[in-house]
Amino acid sequence: MKRGDIILIGVVIVAALAFMVPKWLFQNSSENLHNSKNLVAVITVNGEHYKSVELTDKEQEIKITTADGHYNLLKVHDHGIEMIDADCPDKVCLTFGFVNRNGDTIVCLPHRVLVEIVSPTGEEGDLDAVVG
């Protein structure tokens, strides 16, 4: 290796760190801000309010039983919520996974269950994309 090669490698490493370090610092501060927001999951069954649950790190299971006798099982943990079981035939609601951002939703169409994450302050959700 020549002196120029070593300088070029050093410049590339410094440039990579210049992009990675601020992103890492910003991500950690936004996670702390996110955890302090105290988001709420609003659960609606058949178009009517069923329950509102604060999303905390404390584990909690919520069983929803519809008028038809069907059920959905939600789990609150790590400042988010997920559908972990349901007796619907297609089980699409289980594919939504863990949601923890303002504006995220979980929907079970056969049972008409909607779980929507909202901010208690009424803030809008995060911007997903901009189309020009």
Side-chain angles (χ1 to χ4, degrees), residues 9-66:
I9 291 171
V11 168
V12 169
I13 290 173
V14 168
L17 289 174
F19 285 106
M20 292 175 62
V21 171
K23 180 180 178 185
W24 176 74
L25 290 174
F26 177 72
Q27 182 179 11
N28 287 343
S29 66
S30 68
E31 285 176 6
N32 292 338
L33 178 63
H34 172 71
N35 289 342
S36 66
K37 280 185 182 178
N38 296 329
L39 295 173
V40 175
V42 177
I43 304 167
T44 308
V45 179
N46 203 17
E48 297 180 13
H49 183 267
Y50 179 80
K51 187 175 189 177
S52 294
V53 180
E54 185 175 347
L55 301 180
T56 63
D57 60 347
K58 180 181 170 190
E59 275 194 25
Q60 172 183 353
E61 288 189 357
I62 302 163
K63 185 171 183 177
I64 301 168
T65 306
T66 64

Side-chain angles (χ1 to χ4, degrees), residues 37-40 102-103 116-125:
K37 280 185 182 178
N38 296 329
L39 295 173
V40 175
N102 190 11
E116 188 173 24
I117 298 182
V118 297
S119 171
T121 61
E123 292 176 7
E124 292 294 321

